[in-house]
Amino acid sequence: MRTSLPHRGSWVENMRSSYLVCYDIADDKRLRQVFKIMRGFGDHLQFSVFECQFTAADLARCRAQLAAVIHHTEDQVLFVNLGPAEGRGDRVITALGKPYTAIDSPCIVV
């Protein structure tokens, strides 16, 4: 039996996965640029940590924008795939030490 690949615009291509994107940027100017890029893709959870719901195209676009900004031998960006966004339920965040508080207001990195 022959199976065909999904065509462009199919549910597979548009399926979103949840990711934690965490970064460690050595230079303040690049850090501000990375922060601005990430604000366009997801929810700011903590210093240098965002939760994003990416399609494959969104992920590729985010990675390309970040790759153009970071210094590849000094900086690091981690993409942690948390699985499909649909059906995950509500976000539950627990903390050790200082309690987690949602960041609803704009954050300015200086």
Side-chain angles (χ1 to χ4, degrees):
M1 175 186 269
R2 186 169 181 221
T3 59
S4 61
L5 294 174
H7 65 280
R8 191 158 185 74
S10 71
W11 66 271
V12 171
E13 189 173 276
N14 294 319
M15 189 172 75
R16 294 188 176 274
S17 291
S18 292
Y19 282 82
L20 281 182
V21 181
C22 314
Y23 50 89
D24 185 9
I25 308 299
D27 174 77
D28 288 341
K29 182 179 177 185
R30 291 194 308 270
L31 176 65
R32 286 189 298 275
Q33 291 175 313
V34 167
F35 178 80
K36 287 177 184 176
I37 290 169
M38 291 310 306
R39 287 287 297 209
F41 285 100
D43 297 327
H44 185 217
L45 299 181
Q46 195 176 41
F47 293 122
S48 302
V49 179
F50 280 78
E51 181 183 24
C52 304
Q53 294 186 4
F54 289 132
T55 63
D58 294 335
L59 179 59
R61 191 169 35 259
C62 181
R63 291 178 66 99
Q65 287 181 27
L66 292 171
V69 169
I70 69 167
H71 190 285
H72 292 260
T73 59
E74 295 179 9
D75 303 331
Q76 182 181 57
V77 181
L78 300 177
F79 293 84
V80 181
N81 188 337
L82 302 175
E86 191 170 318
R88 286 192 66 234
D90 293 333
R91 177 192 304 154
V92 178
I93 299 174
T94 60
L96 290 173
K98 200 171 157 184
Y100 173 77
T101 55
I103 301 172
D104 293 329
S105 62
C107 181
I108 300 170
V109 177
V110 184

